[in-house]
Amino acid sequence: MGNSVLNIISKCLYPVSLYLRSITGTVVVLFLARYLSVYDYGLFSSYRSIATFCLMFANLSFADYILVSSDKNVKEIQLKIGLFILNAILLMLLIFFGSLFSSLEMKVIFALVLLRQFLDSTFFALIFPYFQAANKFNVISYVNIFYTFVMLLITFICYVNKYSLYTFLILNIMLGVINFIQVSYYAKIKYLRAICHFKRLFKKIDKTIVDYAGVTLCSYLYNQIPALFVSTYLSKEDAALYFSAYTFALIISLLIGAQVQKMVPEMINATKEKITKIISFNVKFLMSVNALIFVFFFFFGKPMLKLLYKNPYYQNAYSILLVLTISNIFIALAGIYGAYLTASGNQKLKVKMQSAAIVITVLSLLLTYKAGINSAILAYFLSAGYIGFSYTYKAKQILKNLAD
């Protein structure tokens, strides 16, 4: 009995730790919105959106490429991770120096947001293939739990003492540097060795990386173009409104993230029966959870926004929250079937469908840009709906033709 309980906890620990970390990200943004001015919150949200867009070039699905192209060979994965993380650091530095010549209002704040995003997201994503290949989900789970706890502590201290955005970012970066050292040690990533073996590793990078890069680039574009439109075209107050809703709607996408990370390695070279069972379970489980989240937002979204954001202004985000939540349900469905497309080596198909989603997004914005924030919401909804249906249809088509 005791062993059964421990096995259940062990299997659930990673998804739970990732959910905790994802929810913590939402809580952090929530507390920032409660004590920062609407302008400062809009500034932070806008800069984070721009930094996320810039940093996508540091991880164009390279984590999936590292795992699949190395056929889960741990030693090769460690070397490739070192190479790609060094490449990401170099790119981050180039973005930083480039921002000095931009028209950004507060360049120091942007630089800090950029570094925070790298340590909080890009680094963790690139190093994760080691834990997948070595099947050390518990180790990264403990790291996530530690990171979550300290992040919450930092946020609480900043909230109580009403520290500035600058101080908040510095404390976050300090935590990120500690985790960079800690996780690199656990994963045994030898960055100097990666530099020494640069030529050999570079030669091992085959042309399939273009497919992975294309998928991520297209995905970021159709997802982030509306956010970039809001960040650059609209007022910071409108940006605050959009991102206050987007933060909660994103909970659905965050839930699918943990499952996809586990689904991809499970479906590589798996039988048709096993793949079908994995997809079926995740569709039933995740869509049920997502439906409950939407129902909760429908009935309690407005009082929730008023209670959590404190400022009555954020109640105006209620309708935005509902539309973005429905959009993210479509994206979550695409994530499940997209995991199979990745595991089966069909990244090219995803590029074609995502390219179409980008066209839909851009056309929608061009035709309705005078509608302001509603234009961004519509573009996001249309592209998400297309991706959800097209991924599902294509994956089912491939599975139907797959030999038993």
Side-chain angles (χ1 to χ4, degrees):
M1 180 67 178
N3 288 334
S4 299
V5 173
L6 288 174
N7 285 334
I8 293 172
I9 293 173
S10 179
K11 288 180 180 179
C12 296
L13 187 61
Y14 175 68
V16 169
S17 75
L18 199 62
Y19 296 155
L20 284 174
R21 184 169 171 175
S22 300
I23 292 169
T24 296
T26 302
V27 171
V28 168
V29 172
L30 176 64
F31 273 93
L32 284 176
R34 284 177 68 90
Y35 86 87
L36 292 177
S37 67
V38 173
Y39 178 85
D40 282 346
Y41 175 66
L43 184 75
F44 169 74
S45 299
S46 298
Y47 283 1
R48 186 177 60 163
S49 176
I50 295 169
T52 299
F53 177 79
C54 292
L55 286 172
M56 76 171 174
F57 295 101
N59 182 26
L60 293 169
S61 272
F62 296 150
D64 288 336
Y65 170 77
I66 290 169
L67 181 68
V68 177
S69 67
S70 303
D71 201 22
K72 296 195 286 187
N73 182 296
V74 175
K75 288 185 177 180
E76 184 171 335
I77 283 173
Q78 288 171 317
L79 286 171
K80 284 184 177 178
I81 286 174
L83 180 67
F84 279 99
I85 288 178
L86 290 171
N87 173 69
I89 292 173
L90 177 60
L91 183 59
M92 181 184 64
L93 292 173
L94 290 174
I95 294 168
F96 164 69
F97 286 115
S99 71
L100 298 177
F101 302 96
S102 71
S103 59
L104 293 171
E105 298 171 54
M106 302 183 71
K107 296 179 175 59
V108 174
I109 293 295
F110 175 75
L112 294 176
V113 170
L114 179 70
L115 182 54
R116 177 185 182 270
Q117 284 301 107
F118 169 79
L119 293 169
D120 185 62
S121 302
T122 308
F123 166 70
F124 272 99
L126 286 173
I127 207 166
F128 187 68
Y130 165 78
F131 297 97
Q132 287 177 294
N135 199 27
K136 291 186 177 181
F137 287 97
N138 281 355
V139 175
I140 196 65
S141 298
Y142 295 133
V143 171
N144 280 334
I145 292 170
F146 168 79
Y147 188 89
T148 296
F149 174 77
V150 179
M151 179 65 73
L152 284 173
L153 182 61
I154 288 172
T155 304
F156 180 73
I157 291 171
C158 290
Y159 176 73
V160 170
N161 295 288
K162 299 294 185 289
Y163 286 154
S164 67
L165 178 58
Y166 177 83
T167 303
F168 168 79
L169 292 171
I170 290 294
L171 291 173
N172 273 248
I173 289 167
M174 289 171 64
L175 172 62
V177 170
I178 291 170
N179 270 269
F180 181 95
I181 297 169
Q182 180 187 29
V183 179
S184 294
Y185 171 77
Y186 286 145
K188 302 179 180 67
I189 306 300
K190 298 177 175 61
Y191 296 104
L192 289 177
R193 190 178 176 190
I195 294 173
C196 294
H197 292 270
F198 172 79
K199 288 185 179 180
R200 182 172 69 85
L201 289 171
F202 188 76
K203 287 179 181 179
K204 285 198 168 202
I205 297 175
D206 56 63
K207 63 180 181 180
T208 60
I209 194 173
V210 176
D211 297 331
Y212 287 88
V215 167
T216 303
L217 182 60
C218 292
S219 176
Y220 266 89
L221 286 174
Y222 79 75
N223 265 294
Q224 294 300 318
I225 285 175
L228 288 171
F229 170 79
V230 171
S231 300
T232 57
Y233 184 75
L234 304 183
S235 68
K236 291 296 181 285
E237 287 73 19
D238 278 346
L241 202 64
Y242 179 87
F243 288 111
S244 65
Y246 185 82
T247 297
F248 281 101
L250 200 60
I251 289 173
I252 286 175
S253 297
L254 296 174
L255 289 174
I256 186 66
Q259 295 304 116
V260 168
Q261 287 180 344
K262 297 195 76 176
M263 286 171 65
V264 172
E266 287 176 358
M267 291 193 290
I268 294 175
N269 298 323
T271 62
K272 182 179 180 179
E273 183 182 3
K274 183 179 179 180
I275 292 169
T276 303
K277 284 182 178 179
I278 292 171
I279 292 175
S280 177
F281 168 78
N282 280 281
V283 168
K284 290 177 182 176
F285 170 66
L286 289 169
M287 290 302 107
S288 297
V289 173
N290 291 343
L292 289 174
I293 292 172
F294 176 78
V295 170
F296 177 81
F297 285 165
F298 183 82
F299 287 105
F300 304 106
K302 187 169 284 188
M304 177 190 73
L305 290 167
K306 181 181 178 180
L307 175 66
L308 297 179
Y309 281 112
K310 196 175 181 180
N311 191 327
Y313 174 75
Y314 291 105
Q315 288 185 83
N316 297 320
Y318 172 68
S319 58
I320 303 173
L321 173 65
L322 295 183
V323 177
L324 294 185
T325 300
I326 294 172
S327 303
N328 283 340
I329 289 175
F330 286 131
I331 292 175
L333 183 66
I336 296 169
Y337 287 97
Y340 170 65
L341 293 176
T342 296
S344 61
N346 285 291
Q347 293 292 94
K348 285 184 178 180
L349 297 176
K350 293 171 75 173
V351 174
K352 292 178 181 178
M353 290 181 280
Q354 289 179 342
S355 296
I358 293 171
V359 173
I360 291 171
T361 302
V362 173
L363 284 177
S364 178
L365 288 172
L366 287 174
L367 293 172
T368 65
Y369 72 93
K370 290 184 179 179
I373 195 169
N374 292 321
S375 176
I377 298 164
L378 177 64
Y380 191 84
F381 175 78
L382 292 176
S383 62
Y386 170 77
I387 284 294
F389 285 114
S390 61
Y391 271 36
T392 301
Y393 174 76
K394 185 58 67 175
K396 284 185 174 181
Q397 198 176 44
I398 295 171
L399 266 174
K400 186 177 179 180
N401 298 324
L402 188 67
D404 293 317

